[in-house]
Amino acid sequence: MKKKILVIHTGGTISMQEDEHTGAVSPGAANPLVNNPLVTDSNTIIEDCELFHLPSPHITPSHMLKLAQFIDAQVLEKSYDGVVITHGTDTLEETAFFLDLTTKANVPIVLTGAMRSSNELGSDGPYNLLSSIKVASSESAIGKGVLVVLNDEVHTAKNVTKTHTSNIATFQSPQYGPIGLVTKRGVSFHHMPIQQDKYKITEVNKNVMLLKAYSGMDSSIFEALKSMRIDGLVIEALGQGNLPPSTIDGIRSLLADNIPVVLVSRCFNGIVQDIYGYEGGGRRLKELGLIFSNGLNGQKARIKLLVTLEKTNDSEQLQALFLK
């Protein structure tokens, strides 16, 4: 049975070229992957388009929402069997998680990218794109949420993160590992997510900030954030979810203004828990009204808060949503 796959290009290193004289990597006038027939399988029909031509640090939540809406519209209108998105790696995990939370299309959606530009020796872009098309064409990929495919591995959008600045094996899922492998024979999945978390939104315009906790941190940054009229805050806390005691007055001030504060850990393994009962400890913070996340990293918790704040800013409702 033939599969019809939509490939959406958004930019990133996978579409850039290295200047042979200066070594600078940057976007060219055209994306070298657009209209490039990498797939020769007669059972796969590839249609591609370029929605953006942006380095991934230029991608905003507004771009992510536009991409989600475009995917849903195209799948509904043209009955694609799967979707592949090429994307810069710096914010790829955030776009992937945003799509995982917001897209309605019940087909495999796969994001991929590259650590080496299109004309560099050992460029990994074309191979990652081919692997992603294999996954998007796989019946086994249906129902597993948005996936990220690079370096022969298949990861969930919720768990994957960029772990190295330049290595082609940069994308990993700490604590969980990949859920599948891409081989010459096809795609092999060995486990799958047990639940999906979806939200129907039409805009994304909340101002949500992200902070990392550190030794000696005090309330001054929280006082500054309050003056910026933010809508929500995510803090990468110490250890299992603890903060220096000198931060508490500033956090109380935010909570008094009904600004939701979500707590994650700055550790890349484990989850935050309300264990320690000292001033600034997780148990005290939970009693104070902070929202504890179930294993998301800081950048993804921010994406989730951006999305969920379009539905509610009630801390109890948000706490229930962040345990999913």
Side-chain angles (χ1 to χ4, degrees):
M1 181 178 176
K2 287 191 175 183
K3 294 281 188 174
K4 188 166 72 167
I5 306 298
L6 174 63
V7 177
I8 304 171
H9 300 289
T10 68
T13 299
I14 193 170
S15 66
M16 296 182 188
Q17 294 184 326
E18 181 184 58
D19 187 292
E20 60 181 84
H21 301 295
T22 66
V25 176
S26 57
N31 184 334
L33 292 175
V34 174
N35 299 319
N36 187 352
L38 292 172
V39 177
T40 57
D41 184 356
S42 60
N43 290 319
T44 307
I45 301 168
I46 305 295
E47 296 181 7
D48 68 350
C49 65
E50 188 172 51
L51 190 61
F52 313 121
H53 190 41
L54 296 171
S56 65
H58 295 196
I59 297 288
T60 67
S62 294
H63 291 112
M64 298 174 194
L65 179 60
K66 183 176 179 180
L67 178 57
Q69 293 171 337
F70 182 76
I71 290 168
D72 286 337
Q74 290 295 302
V75 171
L76 182 63
E77 179 184 344
K78 299 182 180 178
S79 300
Y80 289 107
D81 298 297
V83 177
V84 173
I85 301 112
T86 64
H87 196 289
T89 58
D90 284 351
T91 60
L92 185 150
E93 65 189 87
E94 289 161 87
T95 297
F97 188 53
F98 185 97
L99 296 178
D100 195 49
L101 293 173
T102 60
T103 50
K104 297 178 291 185
N106 189 30
V107 299
I109 298 172
V110 180
L111 279 85
T112 193
M115 297 302 292
R116 296 171 183 158
S117 59
S118 62
N119 63 336
E120 286 185 67
L121 185 65
S123 174
D124 52 329
Y127 184 83
N128 286 337
L129 178 54
L130 282 171
S131 297
S132 298
I133 291 170
K134 282 185 182 179
V135 174
S137 304
S138 171
E139 291 288 326
S140 300
I142 298 172
K144 290 183 171 59
V146 173
L147 302 171
V148 172
V149 174
L150 292 96
N151 203 38
D152 284 335
E153 293 183 337
V154 184
H155 297 265
T156 64
K158 183 177 182 179
N159 296 324
V160 74
T161 191
K162 188 175 182 179
T163 65
H164 195 285
T165 58
S166 58
N167 195 303
I168 61 170
T170 180
F171 280 93
Q172 306 289 331
S173 294
Q175 194 163 254
Y176 301 101
I179 66 167
L181 302 172
V182 183
T183 68
K184 289 184 178 180
R185 294 182 181 274
V187 182
S188 174
F189 289 95
H190 44 75
H191 62 276
M192 66 179 291
I194 59 174
Q195 64 179 8
Q196 291 200 7
D197 192 15
K198 291 289 185 182
Y199 303 89
K200 184 178 180 180
I201 62 172
T202 57
E203 58 184 5
V204 54
N205 56 19
K206 303 300 183 185
N207 184 16
V208 176
M209 305 297 285
L210 171 62
L211 293 178
K212 183 187 287 285
Y214 53 86
S215 174
M217 189 179 194
D218 61 22
S219 287
S220 57
I221 185 64
F222 301 104
E223 293 164 1
L225 288 175
K226 185 175 179 178
S227 69
M228 294 170 60
R229 300 185 182 279
I230 62 173
D231 298 299
L233 174 65
V234 176
I235 305 174
E236 291 187 4
L238 309 172
Q240 291 190 70
N242 311 305
L243 292 171
S246 51
T247 64
I248 302 305
D249 286 345
I251 292 172
R252 276 202 181 98
S253 180
L254 292 177
L255 295 174
D257 279 0
N258 295 316
I259 298 171
V261 180
V262 174
L263 208 66
V264 302
S265 178
R266 71 179 194 178
C267 303
F268 67 88
N269 275 320
I271 64 174
V272 288
Q273 301 180 79
D274 53 339
I275 300 298
Y276 290 99
Y278 51 74
E279 185 71 5
R283 183 173 289 272
R284 294 278 195 95
L285 296 175
K286 184 80 168 181
E287 293 169 353
L288 197 61
L290 272 70
I291 298 160
F292 279 48
S293 178
N294 191 17
L296 293 175
N297 62 23
Q299 54 268 36
K300 288 183 186 172
R302 176 181 173 270
I303 290 293
K304 184 160 185 176
L305 190 53
L306 277 169
V307 170
T308 53
L309 280 174
E310 297 297 336
K311 297 297 184 183
T312 181
N313 71 342
D314 179 82
S315 61
E316 290 188 7
Q317 293 180 31
L318 288 169
Q319 179 60 85
L321 296 176
F322 268 88
L323 290 178
K324 292 185 178 180

